[in-house]
Amino acid sequence: MKLSEAKKEFLLGNFNEKIKHIYVCDSDTCETVAQRYADAVDCFASLYGENRDVHIFSAPGRTEIGGNHTDHQHGHVLAAAVNLDVIAVVSRNDDYIIRIKSQGYPEDIVDLTDLSVHQEEENCSGAIIRGIANRFIEMGYPVSGFDAYTTSQVLSGSGLSSSAAFEVLVGTVINALFCDGKESAMKIAQIGQYAENVYFGKPSGLMDQAASSIGGFVSMDFENQDAPKAQQVNFDLNSCGYVLCIMDTHAGHENLTPDYAAIPEEMHQVAAYFGKRVLREVPEVAFYSKIPELRKKVGDRPILRAMHFYADDKRAQEEAFALRHGNFEKFKELVRDSGHSSFMFLQNIYSAEHFDEQAVSIALGLIEHFASELPKDALAWRVHGGGFAGTVQAFVPQKYAADFVKSMDGWLGEGSCHLLRIRPVGGIQML
């Protein structure tokens, strides 16, 4: 479809029903979303020319819901796509060059005749693009280049994984334009992880990309890292009268790399005592039978973190089961238990070295204070993601949502609290 026609289709409301479904929104919000797409079309035209045939794509941010730090031990996770996304207006070219201009960032230009790892691109989006293109070409697909303009609502540092959304977006574009859509959502996620690990230089797991690519609530099992299992969980959070809130604690991640690295390292120490690589390979009963010996060998904190793994690994599965069977009260109980376990056993709420900086603890305490004024067990809350800094998560009844946002913004700063919806689809071609 030509650029001018694409813009007209959005402004005439011809995509409104699709937008309402994908973004879980009402008619007023739908118009705002349609205008965002139309504006992106204009930006593409100003950069790459008006007389182009275009395709339009979207990939969502994600939220971790259950299984805190269980994926790197080959455990279970419950995650979900959210209604904040990155979109792209795309047109093929035959230059063997990928050009991507993201709003607010310099244009990335990747020459497809040179797909080697570029050290100078490490930690740059160009590395992601190059790595994803390389993997598709290695798989035998004729990737010949494209021009794209992107704009994102998944703010960097929001805890919603803007990097995974971008990776899934690029993978979805290449899959549609050059692979006839043959590759699965999980394969696109794995390609994104490959690019992030090998080209971008970040040894991340697969949870973020898989949640973004698959969409909805997603229950994942990482026992087989090469072929992880993932299944959507059919549950409508909106229909049960709840919204998902993500709170930015405004604490930076600087100087926290040793804290993040220590969690898998210490869990691996426990597994190694049993001659295994990860805790998933160590039976829970065997672990508990050796506590006295383990305390002498590895110390107490690794044992506490292993305790968290075994409990939260089961909780992630139980949360998915509760949602499948419509038992939201049980789900909320499990979310609260996960939060308590993260604080008491996993200990990823604040850095022991920087104990005077406890923004996540403060945010969790403020949520608990707000909840104390409501009917018992109305809210569920927990640390979100890696911990130590960043964001916290809460499931809040819609009737209290406005007051919740007002209170949290008053305590943490204006714009700290974000109301989100669970998006039912992952990476998608809109047009």
Side-chain angles (χ1 to χ4, degrees):
M1 184 178 289
K2 294 295 183 183
L3 275 168
S4 58
E5 296 172 7
K7 178 180 179 180
K8 186 184 298 184
E9 288 291 306
F10 278 103
L11 294 181
L12 287 176
N14 292 338
F15 285 95
N16 282 6
E17 291 307 311
K18 191 172 187 178
I19 288 172
K20 288 178 183 178
H21 171 66
I22 292 172
Y23 291 90
V24 197
C25 65
D26 56 22
S27 296
D28 290 342
T29 304
C30 185
E31 292 181 5
T32 302
V33 174
Q35 185 63 57
R36 176 178 171 227
Y37 277 98
D39 292 343
V41 169
D42 284 340
C43 290
F44 178 94
S46 67
L47 287 166
Y48 301 115
E50 297 182 359
N51 191 30
R52 302 286 294 270
D53 289 311
V54 294
H55 309 263
I56 297 178
F57 299 86
S58 162
R62 70 92 188 102
T63 179
E64 174 204 284
I65 294 170
N68 196 214
H69 280 280
T70 54
D71 57 335
H72 52 69
Q73 298 302 302
H74 296 196
H76 296 81
V77 173
L78 181 66
V82 298
N83 60 325
L84 300 182
D85 67 341
V86 54
I87 65 173
V89 180
V90 181
S91 182
R92 290 183 61 158
N93 66 50
D94 295 316
D95 302 337
Y96 288 94
I97 291 175
I98 295 176
R99 303 178 186 90
I100 299 181
K101 174 67 172 74
S102 297
Q103 183 182 29
Y105 295 91
E107 182 183 47
D108 289 301
I109 300 175
V110 172
D111 185 343
L112 296 176
T113 64
D114 176 13
L115 293 177
S116 61
V117 175
H118 288 213
Q119 295 299 326
E120 72 277 6
E121 283 184 341
E122 191 169 292
N123 295 314
C124 299
S125 54
I128 294 294
I129 300 164
R130 195 180 303 275
I132 292 173
N134 178 64
R135 180 46 61 94
F136 273 105
I137 290 172
E138 285 181 341
M139 293 162 60
Y141 291 112
V143 181
S144 60
F146 61 86
D147 303 319
Y149 173 80
T150 81
T151 178
S152 178
Q153 296 172 325
V154 191
L155 301 177
S156 178
S158 65
L160 300 174
S161 197
S162 58
S163 59
F166 182 77
E167 291 160 19
V168 169
L169 183 76
V170 175
T172 302
V173 168
I174 293 177
N175 189 42
L177 296 188
F178 305 104
C179 314
D180 295 325
K182 292 178 181 178
E183 296 302 330
S184 68
M186 179 57 79
K187 189 63 178 180
I188 291 171
Q190 290 175 306
I191 292 170
Q193 182 199 22
Y194 162 81
E196 187 165 309
N197 292 171
V198 177
Y199 282 73
F200 189 78
K202 180 180 178 183
S204 67
L206 185 60
M207 180 193 71
D208 294 350
Q209 295 89 344
S212 175
S213 191
I214 295 169
F217 286 96
V218 188
S219 178
M220 307 181 205
D221 180 352
F222 292 106
E223 182 175 22
N224 184 342
Q225 294 285 290
D226 295 327
K229 298 175 183 177
Q231 184 177 14
Q232 274 196 333
V233 178
N234 186 21
F235 184 81
D236 184 357
L237 182 65
N238 187 49
S239 68
C240 72
Y242 272 73
V243 293
L244 169 65
C245 300
I246 298 292
M247 277 68 63
D248 184 354
T249 67
H250 302 291
H253 294 80
E254 298 82 9
N255 304 317
L256 292 176
T257 298
D259 294 285
Y260 291 118
I263 293 177
E265 286 174 3
E266 291 178 10
M267 289 185 180
H268 289 315
Q269 288 173 19
V270 176
Y273 177 85
F274 296 91
K276 303 297 183 181
R277 297 172 303 142
V278 292
L279 290 175
R280 175 69 176 264
E281 298 172 351
V282 180
E284 184 178 6
V285 65
F287 162 73
Y288 276 100
S289 73
K290 297 293 184 179
I291 294 295
E293 295 91 333
L294 276 169
R295 293 186 70 186
K296 296 175 184 177
K297 181 69 174 179
V298 302
D300 288 347
R301 192 171 72 173
I303 294 172
L304 291 169
R305 286 174 163 171
M307 288 178 177
H308 166 82
F309 166 79
Y310 287 112
D312 226 40
D313 185 60
K314 286 185 284 190
R315 267 191 291 267
Q317 300 169 72
E318 291 169 355
E319 287 172 349
F321 184 86
L323 291 181
R324 285 193 185 99
H325 292 82
N327 190 346
F328 196 66
E329 290 305 309
K330 179 62 175 178
F331 169 79
K332 289 190 296 177
E333 176 188 331
L334 291 164
V335 170
R336 288 190 291 267
D337 288 346
S338 177
H340 293 154
S341 179
S342 294
F343 212 139
M344 292 175 61
F345 300 110
L346 183 61
Q347 299 182 21
N348 69 330
I349 307 304
Y350 63 91
S351 168
E353 185 174 349
H354 306 284
F355 61 87
D356 55 332
E357 300 173 8
Q358 297 198 33
V360 174
S361 306
I362 292 291
L364 293 170
L366 292 170
I367 297 172
E368 185 167 329
H369 175 72
F370 183 91
S372 69
E373 304 296 323
L374 303 181
K376 182 176 173 59
D377 298 334
L379 268 65
W381 62 97
R382 66 193 283 274
V383 64
H384 182 241
F388 300 111
T391 58
V392 296
Q393 174 191 80
F395 291 89
V396 181
Q398 292 175 2
K399 60 184 176 181
Y400 303 126
D403 289 339
F404 183 79
V405 172
K406 181 178 179 181
S407 295
M408 296 308 296
D409 280 358
W411 286 321
L412 299 177
E414 195 67 28
S416 297
C417 185
H418 305 278
L419 296 181
L420 303 178
R421 306 284 187 184
I422 303 301
R423 167 169 155 154
V425 297
I428 189 173
Q429 184 170 359
M430 290 288 293
L431 172 65

